[in-house]
Amino acid sequence: MKKDKSTVYDCHIIKLSQIESATGKITSVSSTLDVPFDIKRVYYLYDIPGGEKRGGHAHKRLEQVIVAASGSFDVLLDDGQIKKSINLNLPGYGLRIRPGIWRELVNFSSGAVVIAVASLIYDEEDYIRDYQEFIKFKTAILPKAE
Ligand code: TYD
């Protein structure tokens, strides 16, 4: 048995590889090499209307790295005790978000594109969408991860 002890300090910026040439740049993201988990899913957010917010949830087991592939936005992280805001605006860098962290994505620039690589396929059961439930989750004893 263990508690979910992840904190906002476990979420940090990862520098991704960048191949530069006169014709443009390439960043590749490979399982375990560039991100510290096996990638099971990639999804991207785009056509985000001005003033909108995304996220507003936590994950029980999923971890992910998110990248501002184009434009910029702020990621608000919250571990139930400490809050941290990180601005993403460089496609060569990703933000690692651990399980058990409440996140909101706000202040999207026009045309912003968010790429997310995730350790699990989509599973609504892995989401915590209610903030009070999240606070309970952070203080509950969890069964040991397999
Ligand atoms: P959600 O993860 O809440 O979006 P965000 O965190 O970007 O605000 O997902 C929004 C909706 O899309 C929700 O109904 C679930 C669905 N969805 C999928 O079906 N598959 C996916 O891979 C993702 C990320 C979301």
Side-chain angles (χ1 to χ4, degrees):
M1 304 290 263
K2 69 173 181 72
K3 279 190 181 182
D4 182 301
K5 288 190 181 141
S6 56
T7 76
V8 294
Y9 300 118
D10 301 317
C11 302
H12 47 81
I13 298 285
I14 293 174
K15 189 177 187 328
L16 301 167
S17 64
Q18 246 184 6
I19 301 160
E20 290 193 39
S21 74
T23 53
K25 296 178 184 172
I26 300 175
T27 291
S28 71
V29 183
S30 299
S31 284
T32 69
L33 286 177
D34 303 299
V35 294
F37 52 82
D38 278 334
I39 299 169
K40 294 274 170 56
R41 178 169 51 121
V42 176
Y43 62 91
Y44 39 102
L45 310 179
Y46 52 99
D47 284 351
I48 303 159
E52 279 302 331
K53 291 182 179 181
R54 304 290 313 216
H57 59 74
H59 287 280
K60 297 172 192 164
R61 294 184 189 278
L62 176 144
E63 75 171 298
Q64 63 188 167
V65 169
I66 60 173
V67 177
S70 186
S72 68
F73 54 92
D74 293 325
V75 186
L76 311 179
L77 300 173
D78 178 355
D79 59 23
Q81 294 195 317
I82 299 157
K83 294 180 168 61
K84 188 164 123 176
S85 171
I86 294 169
N87 179 254
L88 290 183
N89 59 9
L90 295 171
Y93 292 81
L95 173 64
R96 181 183 187 186
I97 307 181
R98 299 293 191 102
I101 301 290
W102 189 267
R103 87 290 308 274
E104 287 179 21
L105 277 60
V106 299
N107 296 331
F108 291 97
S109 68
S110 169
V113 177
V114 184
I115 293 180
V117 295
S119 64
L120 295 173
I121 60 167
Y122 172 72
D123 176 10
E124 188 59 36
E125 288 295 303
D126 188 66
Y127 281 75
I128 306 169
R129 293 190 183 274
D130 179 87
Y131 190 77
Q132 291 314 315
E133 257 181 54
F134 167 67
I135 295 300
K136 278 189 209 156
F137 175 81
K138 293 301 280 184
T139 49
I141 306 280
L142 299 170
K144 204 175 170 193
E146 285 154 27

